[in-house]
């Protein structure tokens, strides 16, 4: 297929997206939320949470994290947990209540696709979240294998059992020490 | 919420970095600490990213496409009424049908509804400034709104953003996601704007809408056209 047109360039979301993207505070209906799970949804119900940091380790409060995932059966199906969107708060914190996805690509470990937008990011960044309790699957995962070994842990969310349920911690460091691996795909 | 799932046939063409701004663009100061410093790692496209959410009419409210109506409290919003329309296409020129667009913008005075916006310009009680719509079968979209005003920002001395409308698009997969800004022809602030100038030379002009007398509606509203091109698809799935 010949490519006759040029891609429209990306631009930053700027600082003032919240009333459009996460408009509950403004009394409006959101397109998508950070609670993907419903009470009866099959699979392990989990929370994913973390802080987004800039190159000096300061939390970024005008950032949006979007996720796209399969359901517990590894399928992207209508009615399953799928797309989520969460703006960071004043402490740079975000979270999603969802189900732990099953593996959806043969040979790949279970994972969630993640996109990061922020003021100061002219183009968005893609990463992916893996699960710390999937040790064997992670070791066999071709994408993790393509990442330098000393950076792999930036892609692995750490599981903790808390009184409120299972929480996976996934901090995102846009730049600098412990910089999250971002992908071109 | 997403009501269905699309699965693309074949891989998507890569992000064209001759078109998109680099992460680090020092004249836009916020990029200095918010730009990944390590090279992006190439990743083969699996099902987890070739798929994506689909939003249908149940995601929309009846006035979502008309920003002159969706924020009304006790009258009409102030400003120059305008129509923004265009097509969403892929790089091969094929329409991207039934895909969701979100827009948000300042009011005619250059003031956002957002709680952090401290610009000393009036809010308009009848203008909210955000909307959504779906493209039709030919990839066409259409919003009615008010022409946004320019606004000052703190990037450098006497910095002003050219008038713009923020656009967010999904397209057929998680990979085709695009967030951008639409500008207006002939705006003298464009050559001074580090966000616009962050885009490689030769690609910037694609962000400038065209005035159209054909889209303009007599005795009602000025018309602007803005086409958007998303990542296309390779003809066959890439193996290897
Ligand atoms: Fe803006």
């Amino acid at each position: 297929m010949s490519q006759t047109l040029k891609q429209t360039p990306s631009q930053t979301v700027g600082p003032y997206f919240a009333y459009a993207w996460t408009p509950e505070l403004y009394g409006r209906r959101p397109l998508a939320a950070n609670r993907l799970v419903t009470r009866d949804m099959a699979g392990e119900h989990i929370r994913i949470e973390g802080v987004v940091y800039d190159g000096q380790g300061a939390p970024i409060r005008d950032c949006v994290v979007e996720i796209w995932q399969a359901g517990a059966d590894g399928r992207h199906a209508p009615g399953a947990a799928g797309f989520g969107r969460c703006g960071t708060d004043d402490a740079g914190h975000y979270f999603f209540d969802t189900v732990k996805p099953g593996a959806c690509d043969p040979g790949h470990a279970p994972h969630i696709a993640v996109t990061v937008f922020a003021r100061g990011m002219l183009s968005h960044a893609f990463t992916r979240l893996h699960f710390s309790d999937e040790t064997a699957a992670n070791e066999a995962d071709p994408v993790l294998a393509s990442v330098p070994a000393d950076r792999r842990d930036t892609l692995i969310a750490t599981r903790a059992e808390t009184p409120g349920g299972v929480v996976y911690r996934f901090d995102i460091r846009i730049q600098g020490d412990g910089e999250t691996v971002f992908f071109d795909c | 919420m997403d009501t269905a799932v699309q699965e693309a046939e074949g891989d998507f063409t890569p992000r064209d970095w001759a078109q998109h701004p680099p992460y680090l663009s020092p004249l836009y100061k916020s990029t200095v600490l918010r730009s990944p410093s390590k090279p992006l790692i190439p990743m083969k496209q699996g099902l987890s990213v070739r798929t994506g959410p689909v939003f249908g009419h149940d995601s929309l409210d009846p006035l979502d496409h008309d920003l002159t109506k969706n924020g009304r409290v006790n009258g009409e919003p102030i400003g120059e009424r305008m129509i923004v329309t265009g097509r969403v296409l892929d790089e091969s020129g094929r329409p991207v049908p039934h895909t969701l667009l979100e827009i948000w913008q300042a009011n005619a005075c250059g003031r956002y509804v957002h709680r952090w916006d401290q610009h000393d310009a009036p809010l308009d009680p009848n203008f909210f400034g955000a909307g959504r719509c779906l493209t039709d079968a030919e990839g066409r979209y259409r919003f009615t709104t008010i022409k946004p005003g320019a606004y000052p920002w703190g990037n450098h001395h006497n910095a002003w953003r050219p008038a713009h409308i923020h656009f967010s698009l999904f397209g057929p997969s998680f990979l085709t996601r695009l967030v951008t800004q639409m500008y207006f022809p002939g705006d003298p602030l464009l050559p001074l704007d580090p966000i616009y100038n962050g885009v490689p030379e030769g690609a910037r002009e694609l962000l400038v809408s065209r005035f159209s007398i054909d889209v303009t509606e007599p005795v009602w509203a000025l018309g602007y056209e803005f086409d958007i091109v998303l990542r296309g698809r390779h003809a066959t799935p890439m193996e290897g």
Side-chain angles (χ1 to χ4, degrees):
Chain A
M1 184 65 62
S2 65
Q3 310 297 329
T4 55
L5 300 175
K6 294 289 191 187
Q7 291 171 22
T8 300
S10 174
Q11 293 272 267
T12 177
V13 291
Y16 301 137
F17 52 79
Y19 75 93
W21 275 20
T22 51
E24 301 91 327
L25 273 174
Y26 296 82
R28 299 265 167 158
R29 181 159 76 111
L31 178 72
N34 63 341
R35 292 171 209 277
L36 288 70
V37 71
T38 53
R39 180 200 272 271
D40 302 326
M41 202 174 272
E44 184 176 29
H45 292 199
I46 63 171
R47 172 165 287 198
I48 290 165
E49 66 175 15
V51 172
V52 184
Y53 295 104
D54 74 8
Q56 286 183 332
I60 300 182
R61 68 171 190 163
D62 36 20
C63 175
V64 168
V65 179
E66 289 183 349
I67 63 171
W68 173 243
Q69 66 165 93
D73 61 357
R75 294 178 58 240
H76 296 90
F83 179 72
R85 176 185 270 176
C86 186
T88 53
D89 64 16
D90 283 350
H93 185 262
Y94 75 92
F95 72 91
F96 293 97
D97 288 330
T98 186
V99 295
K100 190 178 171 196
C104 70
D105 283 299
H108 286 241
H111 64 271
I112 292 176
V114 178
T115 308
V116 183
F117 303 87
R119 174 176 68 81
M121 295 185 80
L122 287 165
S123 294
H124 56 263
F126 287 121
T127 186
R128 70 185 217 171
L129 178 157
H130 285 257
F131 298 90
S132 64
D133 52 322
E134 296 286 342
T135 319
N138 288 342
E139 275 171 16
D141 184 86
V143 170
L144 286 176
S146 74
V147 171
D150 62 343
R151 300 189 65 203
R152 250 170 241 162
D153 63 342
T154 68
L155 301 177
I156 295 174
T158 310
R159 182 182 175 102
E161 320 272 344
T162 77
V166 174
V167 176
Y168 285 92
R169 178 84 190 184
F170 189 69
D171 291 334
I172 298 171
R173 292 181 172 79
I174 301 293
Q175 185 194 85
D177 286 345
E179 183 172 312
T180 298
V181 168
F182 296 108
F183 293 97
D184 210 6
C185 60
Chain B
M1 298 299 286
D2 51 311
T3 54
V5 176
Q6 307 196 89
E7 185 177 325
E9 296 163 24
D11 276 12
F12 286 87
T13 52
R15 273 207 272 187
D16 182 353
W17 289 103
Q19 294 292 109
H20 297 296
Y23 290 116
L24 179 61
S25 186
L27 291 177
Y28 174 20
K29 289 184 181 150
S30 300
T31 67
V32 172
L33 292 175
R34 295 182 173 196
S35 43
S37 64
K38 303 217 164 29
L40 299 181
I41 293 188
M43 184 172 87
K44 194 166 169 291
Q45 297 170 14
L47 271 184
S48 66
V49 286
R50 284 212 311 271
T51 50
V54 176
F55 301 94
H57 288 280
D58 58 337
S59 296
L60 301 177
D61 290 324
L63 294 179
D64 273 355
H65 66 287
D66 190 341
L67 285 70
T68 67
K69 294 202 175 107
N70 73 14
R72 281 194 197 185
V73 174
N74 56 9
E76 288 212 55
I78 302 289
E80 199 173 291
R81 203 180 289 119
M82 60 177 277
I83 294 156
V84 187
T85 187
R87 294 180 80 196
V88 182
L89 303 166
D90 73 13
E91 289 167 274
S92 317
R94 285 181 296 208
V96 182
H98 314 303
T99 195
L100 187 99
L101 291 90
E102 301 168 283
I103 63 168
W104 67 102
Q105 63 168 89
N107 68 21
C109 304
R111 178 79 188 267
Y112 284 90
V113 161
H114 196 290
R115 288 162 193 220
W116 296 347
D117 188 357
Q118 300 295 313
H119 177 32
D120 182 16
L123 283 166
D124 183 336
N126 294 303
F127 190 73
F128 184 66
R132 300 174 189 138
C133 78
L134 290 171
T135 58
D136 66 14
E138 279 79 50
R140 195 169 298 281
Y141 72 89
R142 181 184 172 97
F143 289 102
T144 304
T145 185
I146 295 291
K147 190 172 183 191
Y151 60 85
W153 62 310
N155 189 70
H156 56 273
H157 173 66
N158 211 8
W160 291 79
R161 291 299 328 281
H164 60 275
I165 298 178
H166 295 268
F167 275 71
S168 155
L169 293 96
F170 284 83
S173 95
F174 199 63
L175 294 176
T176 49
R177 195 87 175 79
L178 177 72
V179 172
T180 189
Q181 299 181 27
M182 182 200 101
Y183 300 96
F184 292 88
D187 191 327
L189 292 170
L190 281 173
L192 305 175
D193 181 46
I195 292 181
Y196 176 73
N197 289 328
V199 176
E201 221 171 318
R204 292 169 199 162
E205 296 71 19
L206 293 175
L207 297 179
V208 181
S209 57
R210 297 182 304 278
F211 170 72
S212 167
I213 195 67
D214 296 325
V215 172
T216 298
E217 293 199 4
V219 209
W220 175 248
L222 296 175
Y224 289 86
E225 287 185 302
F226 181 55
D227 292 337
I228 297 159
V229 179
L230 303 180
R231 291 168 63 172
R233 241 169 249 175
H234 292 296
T236 52
M238 302 277 281
E239 293 299 332

